[in-house]
Amino acid sequence: MQDQTTAAALVQVLEWYRAMGVTDLVDAEPTNWLESANRVPGQAFLPAASPAPRNGAPASREVRPAQPAPPAAPRAAPARPTPSAAPPRQFVGTAPDAAVASARSEAARAKSLAELQAILARFDGCSLKATAKSLVFYRGAERARLMFIGEAPGRDEDQEGKPFVGRAGQLLDKMLAAAGLSDAEVHITNIVYWRPPGNRTPTPQEAQVCRPFLERQVELVAPDVIVPLGGAAAKHLLDVADGIMKLRGRLMPIAVGRHQAKAMATLHPAYLLRTPAAKRQAWRDLLAIRALLDGASKP
Ligand code: URA
């Protein structure tokens, strides 16, 4: 009977994970998060622990250490063993301002994309890192006149550690090839470097924490034209409230970090997969971008 109850409870937990968008394990081996207890991503950026209140009451965000179980009453069910030395887990968030400031000073030190990647790999200020398998940095050329910036890595990108390698990326590649552009001529990245759980849109806070790295990346790549792919990237990069249908195909100046370029947002290839009729508009944008590059390269 107890086994059935446990099995039913486990099924419910799995159902809940599925509803929350969990599609797969992030590691081959399960991770016991309780063991890493307080070491949540971004913890390094939290203000120092405040002193214990004078009345000895726990601070509001603290979780009390587990109290030893009272002695079991005769014939009561045996108490479950509590995890041994694991310290109590604290559900703390990152301190975004401190994380952004840290990201800014870290990113500024990078003199090359390889250095920037190494710094990003050590950076713990973006909470997306906790659930992602890989850091997804960029693919394509190190320096390129054309830079595509998407929303966030998905499942395939997380597996491979490269942006736009899934179905949307394959469509992007086909469109680039049709416009006469190869991987060697473009630089492709995202506004965040880790896969959001369940492929949700990154929060503004997550994008803000990654922003100093993206700015340094753009400075190092030094593109003439930046193409935000889809609404989330366009909103974040162009700092406008308009939807992608209004923004797409419009040429505008853009400053990312200390780099100035031209921007033309277009539709996200994942949207094109769902809405094939919109491919015409994206194709028109891509031809305009191609003409812009050709025109800009004339003396
Ligand atoms: N969608 C994105 O926005 N980025 C990727 O890397 C893949 C899919």
Side-chain angles (χ1 to χ4, degrees), residues 12 80 154 204 240 263 283:
Q12 275 180 359
R80 276 167 188 247
V240 286
W283 180 239

Side-chain angles (χ1 to χ4, degrees), residues 44-105:
F45 309 103
L46 288 169
S50 44
R54 258 171 295 159
N55 63 8
S60 57
R61 280 162 73 193
E62 265 176 27
V63 176
R64 271 172 190 268
Q67 299 297 314
R75 280 191 280 137
R80 276 167 188 247
T82 45
S84 53
R89 191 172 184 194
Q90 285 183 319
F91 292 92
V92 287
T94 55
D97 291 348
V100 172
S102 167
R104 195 162 298 291
S105 68

Side-chain angles (χ1 to χ4, degrees), residues 176-224:
L176 293 180
L181 292 159
S182 76
D183 228 30
E185 292 171 277
V186 299
H187 183 100
I188 302 175
T189 192
N190 285 300
I191 59 170
V192 297
Y193 299 99
W194 292 274
R195 179 197 181 192
N199 293 345
R200 62 165 170 75
T201 301
T203 63
Q205 197 178 84
E206 288 156 355
Q208 268 331 109
V209 170
C210 292
R211 175 83 187 208
F213 297 105
L214 183 61
E215 291 184 358
R216 188 69 193 121
Q217 186 175 357
V218 170
E219 288 167 5
L220 290 164
V221 177
D224 294 334

Side-chain angles (χ1 to χ4, degrees), residues 10 31-32 41 62 79 86 98 121 128 144 153 158 167 185 203 209 227 229 233 265:
L10 285 172
T31 302
N32 182 352
E62 265 176 27
L128 293 175
D158 188 39
R167 283 183 65 224
E185 292 171 277
T203 63
V209 170
V227 182
L229 290 169

